[in-house]
Amino acid sequence: MEEKLLRDLTREIFSLLSTIASPGLNASLPLLEHAGHVGRVNTSSLKDLDAFASSSMVSFLLKHKSLAIPVLQISLEAFSWTDSEAVTKVCAFSAAVVLLAIFTNNVDLREYVSRDLFSAVIQGLAFESNAVISADLVSLCRDIFIYLCNRDPGQRKILLSLPCISPNDLHAFEEALTKTAGPKEQKQLMKSFLLLATGNNLKALAAQKCVNIITNVTGKQSIFH
């Protein structure tokens, strides 16, 4: 009974966050294909978070730290719950947060996305229940790494902390990305690299074709050292 109440409550919270992140309420958020060269954003064009607040509900929420901090924290925790419905909704919100980290000069937000969110999304891929949304999780990883790795060292440190990866492996991965312009191909590279880096320990990716969706909220599991 308690688990059901908790699950229902968190789903309602993330349903609200998903609505807040809807395109109609975030008209000012740029699209990544408008960023110019794939993987690069002209840093001289970065704006303050305030510049988006008047026509972006996510930006407006993030401006108010008393609201933003608990929302961002529970979003991180959601990736480690075996509730694919909740994770699906938090993915939509997180995608908008990633866009704001890419297109603004807000250091705190960039660090949150590059370190905390990137790590949480990879951990989310360790759960078989997230197989149904594994493509969205890989897409988040790709966007964070491609567009922010040259502005924050967090992603490289996290990838190098994975159990089956070496600096040479990471260098080869980055070289391959620079030679791959298409987002679809880059996502496939990211997926393959994450599987390699974790010793095929990402159950959401391994179970894409045979998914047994589990919706009970359980404890956390980490694939990191």
Side-chain angles (χ1 to χ4, degrees):
M1 182 64 179
E2 291 179 356
E3 285 189 358
K4 183 181 184 304
L5 289 174
L6 177 59
R7 183 172 64 245
D8 291 345
L9 174 61
T10 53
R11 284 180 176 177
E12 287 299 319
I13 292 172
F14 292 129
S15 180
L16 174 60
L17 292 180
S18 179
T19 300
I20 288 173
S22 62
L25 296 178
N26 294 274
S28 63
L29 286 189
L31 299 176
L32 286 179
E33 54 260 36
H34 295 163
H37 187 279
V38 173
R40 296 180 185 175
V41 174
N42 186 348
T43 55
S44 65
S45 68
L46 299 180
K47 301 177 181 179
D48 291 335
L49 195 58
D50 290 352
F52 295 98
S54 62
S55 54
S56 168
M57 279 295 293
V58 175
S59 179
F60 180 80
L61 185 153
L62 294 179
K63 272 185 57 182
H64 297 81
K65 288 192 174 182
S66 61
L67 292 174
I69 291 174
V71 165
L72 294 176
Q73 183 58 43
I74 196 173
S75 296
L76 294 178
E77 294 174 1
F79 288 103
S80 292
W81 298 342
T82 51
D83 183 351
S84 60
E85 183 176 330
V87 179
T88 298
K89 291 171 180 175
V90 82
C91 269
F93 176 75
S94 296
V97 172
V98 169
L99 284 177
L100 286 167
I102 292 170
F103 288 104
T104 69
N105 55 13
N106 189 290
V107 176
D108 290 339
L109 185 60
R110 184 171 70 244
E111 289 182 352
Y112 165 83
V113 167
S114 298
R115 304 173 190 189
D116 300 329
L117 183 59
F118 189 63
S119 175
V121 173
I122 295 174
Q123 290 193 51
L125 286 166
F127 293 89
E128 186 175 349
S129 56
N130 288 334
V132 68
I133 53 163
S134 60
D136 291 338
L137 297 177
V138 171
S139 182
L140 280 176
C141 287
R142 175 260 179 191
D143 292 346
I144 294 170
F145 189 83
I146 288 286
Y147 289 96
L148 292 174
C149 69
N150 290 329
R151 291 163 57 192
D152 191 283
Q155 304 98 315
R156 290 188 177 94
K157 289 180 180 179
I158 289 166
L159 292 177
L160 286 172
S161 75
L162 296 173
C164 303
I165 209 68
S166 70
N168 287 339
D169 294 326
L170 180 57
H171 178 72
F173 168 64
E174 293 192 49
E175 283 285 308
L177 281 178
T178 62
K179 299 174 183 177
T180 308
K184 182 177 180 180
E185 291 76 13
Q186 288 177 340
K187 291 172 189 176
Q188 184 58 47
L189 276 174
M190 176 62 73
K191 174 184 172 181
S192 299
F193 180 75
L194 289 174
L195 282 170
L196 169 69
T198 58
N200 292 310
N201 196 33
L202 297 180
K203 296 178 182 178
L205 297 180
Q208 284 182 81
K209 295 183 180 180
C210 183
V211 182
N212 178 24
I213 299 177
I214 304 168
T215 56
N216 291 325
V217 177
T218 64
K220 294 184 178 181
Q221 174 180 335
S222 176
I223 59 175
F224 298 98
H225 294 313

